[in-house]
């Protein structure tokens, strides 16, 4: 008897699945989709809302990931359910890298690109921007292959699971590179707000971790060998002399190496090590993307209401993400400051806090992370390309097999 997945990775969202398919070949995927009235594909189950919920699930874990470096040496093709950690181990053998990684390497590639998941860095697009080719099983069970430059390609990458089952992804790669990580502690709010652009531009990838307390918190700089020297202090924040965890009080052993020691890109760009528990494990997450030009004002607006949410925060994080041209990306045509919250696992309290945060950020055109907790509905109407995406969905899945009530309400503004 096959196991039916019950909850997401953090056990904060419980699915309504009645059964789960475990295909072992692409042909079997096509057959399952063709005969199904509805099916949702699960990856690493790192989403915190109902984006992948439904009555019938599909897991691709029995298929090989089968990574292949393309003949041009500048791209790698791999099964969509492969995790970034697994891909990094393969790329290591070929001295290759991708441009960035998210906070944890445990997530699946197909799930990450579907929700525009990201890392940080002024010059770094979200993870979906590395995609140069996709292979889907569409609603009728047929195989659809697209590559960068094809019509509608930019609408298929951040697909929210609404277009089909992603069986393979092709990603741009580059020569491997080294990264060193430094943590600066004790940053004041005044220093952060006065120097936000300079702080976020201080390294290849930068994160500001905060608990929304009296101090802004800590700056994590991830510098490449080309980035140059790091200072002893950064806008009043002092270089830490011991290793830290992003969540104060948790074991730093789970976090990637710090203290300025250079290592592989894949061992420094995430905050957490593969094979160790990422973040706290028992949590809920929310995140909002605001235009970079409104970043400081948005943070100030949240500071004015922090008494309504700070007691629920395990850790907050500020990151920057570069603009792109992907239709349903929160970075579509805009650089963003991304404001992340790792919450205690209290859904009702988090929902109330999220509503307060969304109201405070409303003047700054915020867009939520597709895979995390937010309360506003009809979010899709804030995307100029949604009508094009809806037409694309009708062609690839006219029976809406890959939809669910959450997608219909939040994205399309309809009922399924």
């Amino acid at each position: 008897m096959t196991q039916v997945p019950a909850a997401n990775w953090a056990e904060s969202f419980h699915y309504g699945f009645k059964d789960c398919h475990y295909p072992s070949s692409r042909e079997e995927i096509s057959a399952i989709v063709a005969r199904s009235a509805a099916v949702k594909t699960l990856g690493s189950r790192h989403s915190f809302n109902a984006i992948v919920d439904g009555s019938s699930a599909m897991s691709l874990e029995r298929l090989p990931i089968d990574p292949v470096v393309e003949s041009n040496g500048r791209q790698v093709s791999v099964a969509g359910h492969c995790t970034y950690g697994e891909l990094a181990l393969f790329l290591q053998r070929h001295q290759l890298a991708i441009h960035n990684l998210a906070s944890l390497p445990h997530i699946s590639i197909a799930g990450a690109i579907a929700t525009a998941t990201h890392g940080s860095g002024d010059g770094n697009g979200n993870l979906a921007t590395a995609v140069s080719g996709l292979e889907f099983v569409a609603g009728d069970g047929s195989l659809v292959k697209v590559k960068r430059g094809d019509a509608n390609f930019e609408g298929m990458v951040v697909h929210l699971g609404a277009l089909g089952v992603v069986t393979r992804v092709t990603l741009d790669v580059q020569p491997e590179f080294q990264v060193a990580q430094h943590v600066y502690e004790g940053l004041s709010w005044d220093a952060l707000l006065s120097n936000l652009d300079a702080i976020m531009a201080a390294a290849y990838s930068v994160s500001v971790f905060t608990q929304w307390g009296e101090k802004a918190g800590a700056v994590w700089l991830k510098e490449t060998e080309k980035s140059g020297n790091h200072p002893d202090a950064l806008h009043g924040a002092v270089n830490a002399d011991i290793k830290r965890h992003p969540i104060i009080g948790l074991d730093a052993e789970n976090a990637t190496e710090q203290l300025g020691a250079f290592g592989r890109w894949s061992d420094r760009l995430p905050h957490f090590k593969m094979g160790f528990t990422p973040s706290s494990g028992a949590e809920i997450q929310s995140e909002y993307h605001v235009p970079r030009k409104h970043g400081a004002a948005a943070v100030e607006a949240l500071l004015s209401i922090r008494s309504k949410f700070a007691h629920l925060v395990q850790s907050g994080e500020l990151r920057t993400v570069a603009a792109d041209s992907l239709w349903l990306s929160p970075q579509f045509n805009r650089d963003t400051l991304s404001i992340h919250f790792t919450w205690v696992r209290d859904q009702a309290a988090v929902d109330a806090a999220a509503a307060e945060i969304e109201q405070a950020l409303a003047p700054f055109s915020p867009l939520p992370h597709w895979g995390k907790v937010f309360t506003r509905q009809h979010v899709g109407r804030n995307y100029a390309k949604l009508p094009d995406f809806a037409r694309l969905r009708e062609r690839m899945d006219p029976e809406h097999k890959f939809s669910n009530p959450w997608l219909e309400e939040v994205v399309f503004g309809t009922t399924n």
Side-chain angles (χ1 to χ4, degrees), residues 47-112:
S47 291
F48 291 82
N49 59 34
I51 189 170
V52 296
D53 200 16
S55 59
S56 184
M58 182 187 295
S59 169
L60 307 186
E61 64 184 47
R62 294 182 183 174
L63 279 75
I65 60 173
D66 192 24
V68 177
V69 176
E70 301 293 332
S71 58
N72 60 17
R74 298 190 298 272
Q75 295 169 320
V76 61
S77 173
V78 66
H81 64 285
C82 176
T83 67
Y84 281 94
E86 291 171 322
L87 176 63
L89 291 175
F90 171 78
L91 292 177
Q92 176 183 326
R93 299 198 293 270
H94 296 271
Q95 298 181 304
L96 294 170
I98 54 177
H99 79 288
N100 210 354
L101 290 170
S103 298
L104 57 158
H106 308 60
I107 56 176
S108 70
I109 296 169

Side-chain angles (χ1 to χ4, degrees), residues 15 26 32 34 39 135 140 147 152 222 242 252 259 274 314 398:
Y15 303 125
R26 193 174 64 193
I32 291 168
V39 64
E135 180 182 282
D140 61 359
K147 62 182 184 300
N152 299 319
K222 300 171 190 281
I242 61 172
L259 304 177
M274 193 72 179
Q314 296 190 53

Side-chain angles (χ1 to χ4, degrees), residues 278-331:
S279 197
S280 74
E283 64 196 62
I284 299 171
Q285 294 183 10
S286 297
E287 186 172 47
Y288 300 93
H289 308 277
V290 298
R292 180 67 182 277
K293 62 184 179 181
H294 298 319
V299 172
E300 284 190 280
L302 293 181
L303 282 173
S304 72
I305 65 159
R306 62 180 168 177
S307 63
K308 298 180 178 180
F309 65 80
H311 59 291
L312 301 171
V313 173
Q314 296 190 53
S315 180
E317 183 179 7
L318 307 179
R319 290 177 284 180
T320 54
V321 191
D324 60 54
S325 58
L326 305 176
W327 294 0
L328 294 190
S329 165
Q331 286 76 46

Side-chain angles (χ1 to χ4, degrees), residues 347-362:
Q347 190 68 57
V350 167
D351 288 343
E356 295 282 358
I357 287 168
E358 289 163 20
Q359 183 176 355
L361 292 179

